[in-house]
Amino acid sequence: GRELEVAREVGAGQVLYADLHYWYGPLAPYLNAFLYACFGTRSETLTAAGLVSAGAMTAVLYVLARRYADRLGAAMIATAFVYLCAFGHYLENDIFNWATPYAYAATYGMLAATASLLALVRFGETGGRVWLGVSLVALGLTLLSKLEPTAAVLLAHGAFLVAAWLGGARGLAVAVGGYTVVAVSVAATMGWFT
């Protein structure tokens, strides 16, 4: 109920953290309020958002796994996600899955973090700045979601920076500049709420 109601109240003009108590970052309530504005304020709207994010996560996991495994291995990873996470049934009320999550901040954050990791891997492979940009945008979205996916993606980016620094990567200055833009953007967003 909280996920449905907070997004409805944000859509009605309430401001997160000032008018509404919310434990996580602002990404999910504002995205869900936007979806309500586009598709109507009802539970089916957010269930569809959960299904779309589950489908996107399945695809991202498959593509990421293909970097390191054959088609069968990648398909098994994607299938395991669908079975165990996207539609997992751990309790009778099924709130710990992607179709109807306990917190959309968690699912949106995990999707953004995994997309950031995939783009970071592609940047490491190709050196293309577009991949770095995609990775940094997804990092910023993760920072605006929930603590757990944020911690994981920060560790991945930290490992990337250390490896790039030790390896004497040419694009390290560009990457650091990009991280600065992300940090300032997220700080400005959170500062707006305070």
Side-chain angles (χ1 to χ4, degrees), residues 16-101:
L16 207 59
Y17 313 119
D19 302 321
L20 299 170
H21 182 74
Y22 191 69
W23 291 103
Y24 314 121
L27 175 67
Y30 283 89
L31 176 58
N32 289 343
F34 173 75
L35 294 173
Y36 277 168
C38 292
F39 303 107
T41 304
R42 54 185 186 271
S43 63
E44 290 86 355
T45 299
L46 295 191
T47 301
L51 292 171
V52 168
S53 62
M57 183 65 151
T58 303
V60 168
L61 284 171
Y62 177 83
V63 172
L64 183 61
R66 280 292 288 140
R67 314 297 332 139
Y68 306 101
D70 62 7
R71 285 187 197 142
L72 178 60
M76 290 173 66
I77 288 169
T79 302
F81 166 76
V82 169
Y83 182 75
L84 297 172
C85 300
F87 299 103
H89 298 283
Y90 302 109
L91 297 172
E92 288 182 26
N93 58 5
D94 291 329
I95 61 172
F96 297 105
N97 64 52
W98 282 56
T100 55

Side-chain angles (χ1 to χ4, degrees), residues 70-185:
D70 62 7
R71 285 187 197 142
L72 178 60
M76 290 173 66
I77 288 169
T79 302
F81 166 76
V82 169
Y83 182 75
L84 297 172
C85 300
F87 299 103
H89 298 283
Y90 302 109
L91 297 172
E92 288 182 26
N93 58 5
D94 291 329
I95 61 172
F96 297 105
N97 64 52
W98 282 56
T100 55
Y102 174 76
Y104 282 89
T107 55
Y108 293 161
M110 286 185 275
L111 175 58
T114 308
S116 179
L117 177 62
L118 173 60
L120 191 62
V121 167
R122 294 291 292 144
F123 172 68
E125 292 171 347
T126 67
R129 289 186 180 184
V130 170
W131 287 114
L132 178 61
V134 170
S135 181
L136 292 173
V137 167
L139 171 64
L141 293 174
T142 307
L143 293 172
L144 294 172
S145 66
K146 198 166 184 284
L147 182 61
E148 293 86 344
T150 295
V153 78
L154 285 176
L155 283 172
H157 280 270
F160 162 74
L161 283 172
V162 169
W165 178 66
L166 291 175
R170 293 185 318 235
L172 187 59
V174 172
V176 170
Y179 286 113
T180 302
V181 169
V182 169
V184 168
S185 300

Side-chain angles (χ1 to χ4, degrees), residues 10 14-19 25-27 30 144 186-194:
V10 165
Q14 299 287 325
V15 177
L16 207 59
Y17 313 119
D19 302 321
L27 175 67
Y30 283 89
L144 294 172
V186 169
T189 300
M190 294 309 292
W192 180 83
F193 286 107
T194 58

